[in-house]
Amino acid sequence: MQTGIFLAFAAYFSFACGDATIKAVGERLPVFEVGFFLSLIALLPTLFTKRPEDNWSNVFIPKRPGLLFVRMASGTIGGILGVVAFTTLPLAEAYALIFLLPIFVTVFSWLVLKEEIGWRRWLAVLGGLVGVLLVVRPGFREVLPGHFAAVGVAICGAITVIILRVLGPSERRVTLIGAVLVAATVVNGVLMVPEFVAPTGDLWPLLVFGGLVIGVAHLLLVLATRFASAARVAPTQYSQIVWATVMGAMFFEEFPDGIAMAGMALVGISGLFTFVREKEKTVWPDKTPLLRNR
């Protein structure tokens, strides 16, 4: 279990490095172009998530293509919105909004899956919303398109989680990961054509690094869940707020003030509490494969 948790921390550190790379190159390349190159390069490491018993001839043949299409759509749209969010917002601030994901999962579970949500989880939802208000402070600070994009990422991620609850027990994990990366590569590749800008020589190392660390992070996350349960591994994702704060300060001169830090802490605590309560009240955390839902 310790090995699994360590691998999970390494995976989410790698994801944070990939997101920091998105911020670095997103200031010089169009959104769709960033999504195309990173998704294309990330495909290579994720191929190693194929289990030995699976054949390449059927690994990309879904058992429930309709739901997998929804998973591909939510993942691709969330990825595009993520590029917008990380490019226009401080890293830690973007993460604080994206970590509304478990809050939206709770709401969607109540609306779509008709789950009973107790007052404690509704209190966690309220706490997460208060945390976001402390981070964004509408009326005192300018609300940017990136804020709406980050919230959109959380909504797309919540939709993905709901879909994975159904697909998880039946679909191969390499199918769930690979299908989204292929869809993101194709969609971004088509959309980038009208405004294509050839990357300069100094951007290629960043693009290759960003794609590889994202792909390796997916691989590490799959390995982590082979050593430890998803319920043990999932809380480590909140370490990304720490990585984002450190990387934002080191590379982008981003220093959140005390109010923003308090808001981020409240969002993280609310999300963790929501996950713990779902683990106690439902069996969904055991049935949902732990993936990079964003």
Side-chain angles (χ1 to χ4, degrees):
M1 185 176 67
Q2 292 177 341
T3 301
I5 293 174
F6 174 79
L7 290 173
F9 274 115
Y12 286 116
F13 173 73
S14 296
F15 279 130
C17 290
D19 293 334
T21 306
I22 289 174
K23 184 173 183 66
V25 301
E27 298 174 351
R28 298 172 57 185
L29 289 177
V31 170
F32 301 122
E33 199 166 333
V34 174
F36 170 78
F37 285 114
L38 292 184
S39 299
L40 180 64
I41 296 168
L43 270 171
L44 181 60
T46 56
L47 295 177
F48 292 94
T49 60
K50 184 183 79 69
R51 292 181 177 272
E53 60 268 23
D54 292 332
N55 296 319
W56 285 114
S57 59
N58 61 15
V59 76
F60 288 112
I61 300 176
K63 298 177 181 179
R64 304 185 71 172
L67 287 177
L68 185 64
F69 176 80
V70 177
R71 151 73 172 150
M72 293 163 65
S74 63
T76 300
I77 295 171
I80 293 171
L81 292 175
V83 176
V84 175
F86 287 120
T87 302
T88 57
L89 297 178
L91 279 173
E93 190 169 324
Y95 270 122
L97 294 171
I98 290 170
F99 280 149
L100 284 173
L101 190 154
I103 306 301
F104 285 118
V105 169
T106 299
V107 175
F108 291 166
S109 298
W110 176 62
L111 291 174
V112 179
L113 302 178
K114 308 302 180 183
E115 288 184 10
E116 292 186 7
I117 309 298
W119 67 270
R120 293 180 180 85
R121 276 197 280 173
W122 283 122
L123 190 62
V125 170
L126 180 61
L129 295 177
V130 172
V132 167
L133 290 177
L134 291 176
V135 173
V136 179
R137 277 167 276 174
F140 297 92
R141 298 174 53 200
E142 181 183 4
V143 178
L144 302 172
H147 292 112
F148 295 103
V151 173
V153 172
I155 293 174
C156 288
I159 293 172
T160 296
V161 170
I162 299 298
I163 295 299
L164 288 177
R165 289 177 174 181
V166 181
L167 287 179
S170 60
E171 294 289 351
R172 302 173 184 86
R173 190 158 306 191
V174 67
T175 305
L176 293 172
I177 298 174
V180 173
L181 290 175
V182 170
T185 302
V186 172
V187 171
N188 282 288
V190 172
L191 294 177
M192 78 174 183
V193 172
E195 299 181 356
F196 181 78
V197 177
T200 57
D202 61 320
L203 286 181
W204 280 112
L206 286 174
L207 290 171
V208 172
F209 171 78
L212 287 178
V213 294
I214 291 172
V216 167
H218 279 295
L219 180 59
L220 289 173
L221 201 53
V222 171
L223 292 175
T225 55
R226 292 179 183 173
F227 289 97
S229 67
R232 297 286 187 180
V233 170
T236 63
Q237 66 182 297
Y238 289 92
S239 65
Q240 291 176 103
I241 291 184
V242 178
W243 305 132
T245 303
V246 173
M247 292 179 188
M250 290 179 60
F251 301 113
F252 305 105
E253 298 184 355
E254 298 170 351
F255 301 96
D257 59 23
I259 296 176
M261 293 291 288
M264 287 186 283
L266 186 55
V267 171
I269 292 170
S270 298
L272 282 169
F273 180 81
T274 299
F275 179 84
V276 170
R277 292 299 294 178
E278 286 204 350
K279 174 65 179 172
E280 292 176 355
K281 298 295 184 180
T282 74
V283 296
W284 289 123
D286 292 326
K287 295 175 64 176
T288 305
L290 190 63
L291 299 175
R292 169 72 155 187
N293 295 319
R294 188 175 68 71

